[in-house]
Amino acid sequence: MAELAWMTLDKHRELGLTASTAQDDLGAAHQLLLDAGFSTCHPGFAYALGNNHPVDVRATLQQLYNDVATHYVAIDDASLDDPARATSAPLGRSQPAQHIPVASPGRPDSRRDLATFAEELSARLPGTWAVTVHKHATGVGQFPLSERVWGRGHVSWALSEFTPHRDAVLSSESGVELLVIDRPLRKHEFLVAALEPRRSGFATTNEAPNGIAVSAHPVRAASQVTARLFPRYDEAVHQARIEQVAASVAAGARVLAERDAVSDSLCDAEHWPLDERYGLRQQVRDAEMWAQFAPFLEHGPALVEHAEETLPLLDPAERMAGRWSYRLRTLRAALDGGARVQAEFEVVAEALLPDHPHAKADFADAVAMRNAEGWHYSLTWMDNAGVLVDIARAEKAPPPPPTRPLRAQQVRSARAEAARSWSPHAARQITAAIETAAGPPAIRFFNSSQLPRSR
């Protein structure tokens, strides 16, 4: 029979209740203390409540006495001198573990129900959301969704230090997924984080949309998620897609370079194929190019739409030099053609019978046909997708300093010349110029107001 996990309680003058655990191999006592509001951030104490108010201490003790009844945990509170011990007898060293205390009807709820909060939060977020609630074992272990949490902020720290025993996942119709868990050491707050998109296929180096702490009030929480988390999530997804575009363009260029290098050895001087290896290599080329192009059939239209909305805000000279408008129209046409080819392939694939002896061969032929028909659209996308990277780079560039219109500059210059002509400095310059060009001093003699002296 397994030994009991012991929870030893003590009382501190400033920190209130303190606790330590022993023989807690499954982490049951650890989780019960965290649920009751204890923290592990006080040096010198394994667990501390951080509150010495009699009412709060009594409520915490009552919760512990009630919760240990359903766990293989015993409480050692011999050092406590509190009347709250009489309200519910704890499990002592001489008492059996099957003691079930009577719950106090007036005991306050330590945490709000996570499922109810998630439902109310999803109802106030934009769009349509589905809520899935999970409950996990009390023992300490790896959190199932920790690998998909997108960010390295407070939520990642909480998951590394604590193992939540419940969570809720909110899934929208657009594919966005949010994780909601209890905030450790805070009874009236939750943590909301974004999960990395499924089948994303990208490894972003940009800053991820770190999760946030929200109030237990669903209206305030929905406002915080909409104003703080969603903009960062959209920006992170967009930047990750732009990185994927740059990587796919580079990969497509390598495929074409390898193809050209091999084709020279499989063709004669007039570029006619020598044997059947040329056709096989062409099928490999089509498949590799389609693999680089296919992911953008789903999120490529959103990238093109974002670039089209940003285009009027960028430098007109740069737009004209890069032919950005024309290249965006070309990308949209390539996406439309690729989507049509993919739809035709799906119709053929669904019509195949899995049990037919030639099903695999027919499916391989359909894939080869899809790749061959999509070669033109794949190549068009690879040749012009770099414009998305250029527009994203120009969007992040600082705006140029504002310039005055030519008309305003001319008007200002005319006014400035008129002002200078009437200024004292200009008058002195005009007088000096007249005196220099007037001639010898004898001529200026008659300009004097005094009569000339006679000798």
Side-chain angles (χ1 to χ4, degrees):
M1 183 176 180
E3 295 182 349
L4 287 175
W6 281 92
M7 184 188 302
T8 304
L9 301 178
D10 200 352
K11 198 170 183 180
H12 192 272
R13 182 174 58 184
E14 297 179 355
L15 300 178
L17 288 178
T18 60
S20 62
T21 59
Q23 302 175 2
D24 189 24
D25 297 334
L26 299 178
H30 168 79
Q31 191 65 47
L32 292 178
L33 289 172
L34 294 181
D35 291 342
F38 284 80
S39 67
T40 59
C41 301
H42 301 280
F45 296 95
Y47 302 89
L49 184 62
N51 187 354
N52 59 1
H53 195 277
V55 177
D56 296 335
V57 172
R58 186 187 301 271
T60 302
L61 286 173
Q62 185 68 50
Q63 177 179 349
L64 288 176
Y65 295 150
N66 293 337
D67 291 346
V68 297
T70 57
H71 297 78
Y72 210 63
V73 179
I75 296 181
D76 183 2
D77 58 355
S79 59
L80 295 182
D81 186 13
D82 196 297
R85 293 166 52 195
T87 59
S88 178
L91 290 176
R93 295 185 183 274
S94 60
Q95 292 177 324
Q98 289 78 11
H99 174 73
I100 302 178
V102 180
S104 173
R107 182 172 64 91
D109 187 12
S110 61
R111 284 194 180 274
R112 184 172 182 183
D113 183 62
L114 181 66
T116 303
F117 171 79
E119 290 287 350
E120 295 177 354
L121 175 64
S122 64
R124 290 166 173 82
L125 294 177
T128 304
W129 297 78
V131 180
T132 305
V133 181
H134 308 96
K135 293 186 177 180
H136 311 285
T138 308
V140 178
Q142 180 69 25
F143 184 62
L145 297 175
S146 59
E147 298 296 332
R148 291 194 58 207
V149 174
W150 199 8
R152 296 176 293 274
H154 187 74
V155 178
S156 297
W157 170 85
L159 294 178
S160 63
E161 297 293 332
F162 306 92
T163 303
H165 62 277
R166 60 180 183 175
D167 71 81
V169 176
L170 280 62
S171 304
S172 71
E173 55 186 357
S174 61
V176 182
E177 291 182 296
L178 301 178
L179 174 68
V180 182
I181 59 174
D182 298 306
R183 184 179 184 183
L185 314 179
R186 297 292 188 272
K187 295 183 179 180
H188 304 293
E189 293 183 2
F190 293 94
L191 296 178
V192 181
L195 297 180
E196 188 172 339
R198 295 180 182 272
R199 301 182 302 275
S200 58
F202 58 77
T204 178
T205 58
N206 292 283
E207 184 177 357
N210 297 329
I212 61 175
V214 299
S215 169
H217 195 280
V219 177
R220 297 177 183 174
S223 177
Q224 292 172 333
V225 172
T226 304
R228 296 172 54 195
L229 184 57
F230 282 167
R232 296 206 301 256
Y233 179 85
D234 295 338
E235 178 65 19
V237 170
H238 179 71
Q239 292 302 322
R241 298 304 185 193
I242 292 297
E243 288 184 358
Q244 188 179 13
V245 169
S248 65
V249 170
R254 288 193 299 269
V255 171
L256 293 177
E258 294 175 359
R259 167 64 182 174
D260 294 339
V262 175
S263 297
D264 294 340
S265 62
L266 299 178
C267 298
D268 56 15
E270 298 180 356
H271 303 286
W272 287 95
L274 298 175
D275 52 25
E276 67 278 0
R277 289 183 299 167
Y278 184 89
L280 296 177
R281 180 57 188 172
Q282 188 174 12
Q283 292 183 4
V284 174
R285 179 206 63 179
D286 296 344
E288 292 178 352
M289 289 292 286
W290 182 265
Q292 297 296 332
F293 174 58
F296 298 100
L297 296 178
E298 179 180 356
H299 54 264
L303 290 175
V304 176
E305 182 179 359
H306 178 84
E308 291 174 343
E309 294 176 354
T310 308
L311 199 60
L313 307 177
L314 303 180
D315 184 15
E318 194 173 3
R319 297 201 311 258
M320 295 298 295
R323 301 186 304 163
W324 288 353
S325 299
Y326 167 77
R327 296 173 68 184
L328 288 178
R329 292 195 299 269
T330 305
L331 289 179
R332 188 172 290 279
L335 291 174
D336 294 340
R340 183 177 65 256
V341 171
Q342 178 65 20
E344 294 174 355
F345 164 75
E346 292 177 355
V347 171
V348 175
E350 292 176 358
L352 296 177
L353 299 177
D355 299 334
H356 195 274
H358 301 290
K360 293 183 179 181
D362 294 341
F363 182 79
D365 293 340
V367 170
M369 183 64 67
R370 187 268 316 271
N371 297 339
E373 292 182 356
W375 159 252
H376 168 71
Y377 305 113
S378 302
L379 182 62
T380 303
W381 173 267
M382 296 304 167
D383 288 341
N384 296 275
V387 68
L388 300 175
V389 182
D390 296 338
I391 293 177
R393 188 181 298 112
E395 183 181 3
K396 284 191 170 184
T403 58
R404 293 181 177 272
L406 182 60
R407 178 65 179 173
Q409 292 180 358
Q410 294 176 351
V411 172
R412 181 177 180 181
S413 299
R415 292 178 179 177
E417 292 297 333
R420 292 192 190 98
S421 64
W422 290 99
S423 65
H425 177 69
R428 287 194 298 270
Q429 290 181 342
I430 294 174
T431 303
I434 293 176
E435 291 178 352
T436 303
I443 299 177
R444 299 197 306 269
F445 172 78
F446 298 100
N447 294 331
S448 175
S449 59
Q450 297 180 1
L451 295 176
R453 292 183 179 183
S454 60
R455 292 184 179 181

